Amino acid sequence: MRTAIDRAVAALVHRAPGLLLLRIGLALMFIESAIDKALNYSIYVGDAAAAGVPFAQFAVLAALVVEVIGSLALVTRIATVPAFLLLATYTIVVNVFYFDFWSMDGRDAVMARKEFLKNVAVASGILLALAWITCADRMKRGD
């Protein structure tokens, strides 16, 4: 049996303009990154190669595509589950290559660790949003 709280949460997730703003807020990081990659592609390829990313040219292009498609999915809720899982996974994979604080010393290690943890928080937020939307969809259907 659905409670009043269950119905309120489902209504909030499906109707609140504020949640659209929150999804846009999550997407902003990826949108900005995609635009920057498109405008400065060769710089990103050089950075990726220097960070040890295999097939740097392809990887940067793939990252740009993931960021654009993932951002659109975050905002529109089209293909929610695969897109949200892809963005969360992408965020963690990027961390391993770019913020490998475990192989650094001093201030560099501290700053990389902070960036790493920030990106873990972003990936967690994406997964939390996915869980919330999925649960609300099930409540709406009465599962």
Side-chain angles (χ1 to χ4, degrees):
M1 174 181 267
R2 292 176 55 188
T3 67
I5 293 174
D6 293 337
R7 287 190 297 278
V9 168
L12 179 67
V13 169
H14 290 286
R15 297 189 189 124
L19 289 176
L20 172 60
L21 292 176
L22 292 174
R23 291 194 315 271
I24 290 170
L26 267 176
L28 279 176
M29 181 175 98
F30 299 104
I31 293 166
E32 185 278 333
S33 183
I35 291 168
D36 200 36
K37 278 182 185 67
L39 295 174
N40 300 294
Y41 181 75
S42 61
I43 293 170
Y44 276 90
V45 170
D47 288 348
V53 175
F55 309 105
Q57 282 188 309
F58 173 76
V60 171
L61 183 60
L64 196 153
V65 169
V66 165
E67 290 169 347
V68 168
I69 291 173
S71 296
L72 290 173
L74 271 173
V75 173
T76 64
R77 292 186 55 203
I78 294 173
T80 303
V81 174
F84 280 41
L85 291 174
L86 180 64
L87 274 178
T89 302
Y90 164 76
T91 302
I92 297 303
V93 169
V94 166
N95 263 354
V96 173
F97 284 103
Y98 287 96
F99 304 114
D100 55 340
F101 63 90
W102 52 88
S103 68
M104 299 176 182
D105 293 316
R107 183 162 173 72
D108 289 341
V110 170
M111 296 310 292
R113 185 179 67 242
K114 288 180 183 301
E115 289 296 318
F116 186 95
L117 292 174
K118 177 200 65 151
N119 284 339
V120 168
V122 168
S124 298
I126 292 167
L127 294 175
L128 183 60
L130 174 61
W132 189 358
I133 289 168
T134 302
C135 289
D137 285 346
R138 287 185 178 161
M139 283 189 261
K140 187 177 180 181
R141 288 192 313 260
D143 292 352

